[in-house]
Amino acid sequence: MTNYLNYDLYDLDLSAVPTNRELKNLVLNMSNRSILVMEDIDCTIKLQNRKEEEEEDNMERVKKESKVTLSGLLNAIDGLWSCCGEERIMVFTTNHKEKLDPALLRPGRMDMHIHLSYCTFSAFKQLAFNYLRISHHNLFQEIEGLLREVQKLQESCKKKINSENCLPDIVKFLHNKKMVEQNEPKLSVIME
C-alpha cells in the first residue's frame, strides 16, 4: 500500500507506548499521507472486550501492564487527536477479531475488515509483478502446484481439528516433498 500510494509507513508497537499522552503525541507527529500499522492488536496490550474485562477480578493487574487504555486508543484513531492530520490510514492486524472490543471494530474506527487467507497463485503472481516486475516465468507452473498442495494441506488440517488426524497428513506431505527433491537433478556450479 505504501509503495502504491507513495505514503510514509509507521509501525507502532502499543506495548512500547508508556501512556495515552505518549500515544497522542505519536499520532500527532505522524506526517500527512502516511500509514500507521499496529500488528497483532489483540496481543500487544489488554484491549479485550470490556465485558470480559469487567468480569476479571484482577483489573489492577491489567492496568499495571500498560498505561495505554482502550479509551486512549479509541481517541487516537477516532477522537479529537485523529483529526489533526490529513490522508492517514491506520491498519490493525489480528488473529482473533472476536477478542477485540466492539467499540474498536465499529465503522468510523475500522471502516474495512479484510480477511487475509493463505496466498493464492493469483496473489503470488501479483506480488511477483509488483516487487520483481515479473509477469511470466518458467517456475510459475511449479509454484502454482506447490501453493495448491500447501492450501490442500492447510484445509485438511482445518477440517481435522484433532491433531492426531492432522499430523499424519503433514508427515505425508513432507515425505512427498522430500521424494520430489531427491529425484530432481542437482546443478553443479563450477567457478573458475
Side-chain angles (χ1 to χ4, degrees):
M1 289 188 313
T2 58
N3 289 341
Y4 182 76
L5 297 171
N6 197 26
Y7 275 29
D8 293 330
L9 178 65
Y10 295 88
D11 179 28
L12 178 61
D13 178 1
L14 282 176
S15 65
V17 181
T19 64
N20 286 338
R21 181 178 299 246
E22 184 66 26
L23 177 61
K24 171 186 167 184
N25 290 334
L26 289 170
V27 171
L28 288 174
N29 288 317
M30 285 174 49
S31 62
N32 292 332
R33 299 180 51 85
S34 61
I35 297 175
L36 174 65
V37 177
M38 293 183 222
E39 293 187 90
D40 297 321
I41 189 132
D42 58 303
C43 300
T44 54
I45 62 173
K46 297 291 182 185
L47 294 176
Q48 283 89 357
N49 189 317
R50 286 174 285 184
K51 291 178 184 176
E52 291 175 15
E53 280 186 4
E54 290 168 3
E55 294 171 3
E56 289 184 6
D57 295 331
N58 53 358
M59 190 69 155
E60 291 303 313
R61 181 187 57 79
V62 173
K63 287 181 183 175
K64 287 179 186 175
E65 286 181 9
S66 174
K67 303 268 181 161
V68 174
T69 64
L70 177 61
S71 176
L73 179 63
L74 295 177
N75 285 327
I77 64 172
D78 188 34
L80 288 174
W81 308 345
S82 66
C83 66
C84 297
E86 295 180 11
E87 298 183 55
R88 292 181 179 168
I89 298 171
M90 294 189 187
V91 176
F92 302 92
T93 68
T94 182
N95 289 321
H96 301 283
K97 184 177 162 184
E98 70 281 357
K99 289 184 178 181
L100 300 177
D101 192 286
L104 187 61
L105 298 171
R106 77 162 176 78
R109 291 194 175 121
M110 289 190 188
D111 294 319
M112 296 184 74
H113 297 249
I114 302 170
H115 175 76
L116 296 176
S117 187
Y118 301 106
C119 185
T120 62
F121 181 63
S122 175
F124 170 81
K125 281 181 27 179
Q126 188 64 52
L127 289 169
F129 181 76
N130 288 350
Y131 291 100
L132 304 172
R133 296 289 180 224
I134 298 173
S135 56
H136 300 288
H137 194 277
N138 59 347
L139 291 176
F140 275 13
Q141 186 175 2
E142 181 179 356
I143 292 169
E144 182 176 18
L146 290 170
L147 286 173
R148 197 175 306 121
E149 284 298 315
V150 169
Q151 188 171 9
K152 285 179 189 174
L153 175 66
Q154 292 161 344
E155 288 171 2
S156 175
C157 287
K158 279 184 185 176
K159 290 177 189 172
K160 299 175 183 179
I161 296 171
N162 182 338
S163 63
E164 294 300 319
N165 296 332
C166 181
L167 293 179
D169 287 348
I170 293 172
V171 170
K172 180 180 175 185
F173 175 77
L174 293 173
H175 278 296
N176 288 342
K177 299 305 298 168
K178 180 180 174 184
M179 294 298 292
V180 167
E181 288 177 8
Q182 287 176 343
N183 293 330
E184 287 180 353
K186 304 292 185 233
L187 297 176
S188 298
V189 177
I190 301 172
M191 299 182 73
E192 296 181 13

